[in-house]
């Protein structure tokens, strides 16, 4: 069910390229403006973008910088309705967006069942009030110490949030307020989970439609800019809840590492992510070439896969499984499927999760090919 209400700046406030709002010439303002300007030059040279605004310091500062650098900015605010007063937070964020110079501000009301079993979006034009998780739209929800929320409200809220943003963006890129600190936390989480290079390489600067201009900017600078502009940032209580692993990394683990290693840890982790992302791009390209060669009907040729380097082979297997509908693949899934190629002893098929239709997908070896069937 969708309902719409859109707020727009008054016609007299419509801005051209030369009418951007002025920001103070402080370190924080200059660094955020530079980051946004460089991102726009690489990915959105036409200067027309959306910003996902929660009302928190990171997204408020990003919105201010975007309004100063982009030609047109539309603010999107998601209100999950899971916290008391969330509607008021969303409405304040929408009003602030218009004051900062956004062309429009949409509040996207989404309804999330507290048992996580459903997430139904009710769109109302205004802005989003819950900042997208630092892990990105396709990552797992924040994990409480001692267990995941496979279908809980956090996972449902994430799905509803990104669905609402996708539906409202009207073909434009959506800027997210993730900072260098968020990137460092993501890398550290990936290291702790043993998730491999795909996780440790962190978040992408641009993965259509999601843009992250602030991955090289420290979180402290977003707070400084909000203070300089007199903006009162909303503090999400989840960001200080110690039952979440990311919160403890932020408040305990990273400060301890900074102290023990003499500083610079967050920057080093973010730099590691950037280096791994460059390396992974080359490996992914090589895997794409091999995938084209290895195709044998709906399957993959065993002989071609067997002679490939392991890092390339697993990427080929992963890409093939994903395009055939597999979901939530793990490293153990991929290695078990790889064993059908490299350590074949007549073993049975490997379950690789469910398909979109709800059936169970099983990879198997048959007549010199890897095949994927359903049960």
């Amino acid at each position: 069910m969708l309902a719409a209400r859109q707020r727009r700046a008054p016609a007299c406030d419509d801005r051209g390229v030369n009418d951007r709002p002025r920001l103070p010439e402080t370190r924080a303002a200059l660094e955020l403006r530079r980051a946004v300007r460089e991102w726009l030059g690489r990915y959105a040279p036409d200067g027309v973008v959306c910003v996902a605004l929660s009302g928190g310091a990171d997204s408020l500062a990003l919105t201010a910088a975007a309004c100063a650098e982009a030609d047109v900015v539309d603010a999107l605010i998601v209100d999950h309705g899971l916290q008391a007063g969330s509607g008021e937070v969303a409405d304040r964020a929408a009003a602030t967006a218009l004051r900062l110079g956004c062309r429009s501000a949409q509040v996207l009301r989404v309804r999330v069942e507290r048992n996580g079993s459903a997430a139904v979006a009710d769109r109302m034009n205004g802005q989003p009030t819950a900042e997208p998780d630092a892990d990105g739209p396709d990552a797992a929800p924040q994990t409480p110490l001692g267990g995941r929320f496979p279908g809980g409200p956090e996972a449902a809220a994430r799905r509803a949030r990104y669905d609402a943003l996708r539906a409202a963006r009207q073909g434009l890129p959506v800027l997210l307020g993730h900072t260098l600190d968020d990137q460092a936390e993501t890398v550290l989480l990936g290291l702790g989970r043993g998730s491999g290079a795909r996780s440790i390489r962190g978040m992408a600067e641009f993965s259509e439609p999601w843009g992250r201009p602030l991955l090289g900017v420290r979180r402290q600078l977003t707070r400084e800019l909000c203070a300089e502009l007199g903006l009162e940032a909303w503090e999400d209580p989840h960001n200080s809840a110690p039952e979440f692993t990311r919160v403890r990394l932020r408040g305990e683990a990273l400060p301890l590492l900074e102290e023990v290693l003499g500083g610079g840890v967050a920057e080093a982790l973010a730099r590691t992510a950037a280096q791994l992302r460059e390396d992974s791009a080359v490996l992914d390209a090589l895997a794409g070439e091999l995938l084209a060669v290895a195709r044998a009907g709906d399957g993959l040729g065993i002989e071609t896969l067997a002679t490939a380097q392991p890092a390339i082979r697993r990427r080929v297997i992963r890409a093939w499984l994903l395009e055939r509908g597999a979901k939530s693949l793990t490293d153990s899934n991929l290695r078990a499927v790889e064993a059908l190629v490299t350590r074949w002893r007549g073993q049975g098929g490997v379950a690789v999760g469910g398909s979109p239709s709800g059936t169970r997908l099983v990879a198997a070896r048959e007549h010199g090919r890897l095949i994927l069937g359903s049960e």
Side-chain angles (χ1 to χ4, degrees), residues 90-230:
D91 290 340
R92 285 198 301 272
T96 300
L98 296 179
R99 288 200 305 273
L100 288 172
C102 288
R103 174 178 65 177
S104 67
Q106 290 190 70
V107 173
L108 311 171
R109 311 284 187 191
V110 301
R111 190 165 65 248
V112 180
E113 301 296 333
R114 291 194 173 272
N115 62 8
S117 61
V120 182
D122 290 330
R123 270 185 57 197
M124 304 179 78
N125 283 344
Q127 295 198 322
T129 54
E131 193 142 359
D133 302 28
D135 294 310
D138 300 316
Q142 289 196 61
T143 306
L145 302 178
R148 291 184 180 274
F149 288 108
E154 288 78 10
R158 177 193 295 277
R159 290 191 298 269
R161 171 164 63 253
Y162 284 101
D163 285 348
L165 291 172
R166 285 189 186 95
R169 71 185 183 91
Q170 297 185 327
L172 299 177
V174 180
L175 304 188
L176 308 175
H178 302 134
T179 65
L180 183 148
D181 299 79
D182 294 311
Q183 185 77 302
E185 293 160 11
T186 298
V187 174
L188 203 54
L189 279 171
L191 284 168
R193 293 168 177 166
S195 305
R198 193 170 298 278
S199 177
I200 299 170
R201 71 186 187 180
M203 296 173 284
E205 191 176 52
F206 184 54
S207 180
E208 192 172 4
W210 316 112
R212 299 178 176 88
L214 305 186
L215 289 182
V217 175
R218 296 302 303 263
R219 182 180 292 138
Q220 179 58 34
L221 290 181
T222 68
R223 280 133 182 80
E224 288 181 13
L225 182 57
C226 286
E228 291 163 1
L229 296 177

Side-chain angles (χ1 to χ4, degrees), residues 10 70 79 111-112 185 187 235 238 241 247 309:
D79 173 19
R111 190 165 65 248
V112 180
E185 293 160 11
V187 174
E235 294 293 341
H238 287 159
V247 172
Q309 292 295 319

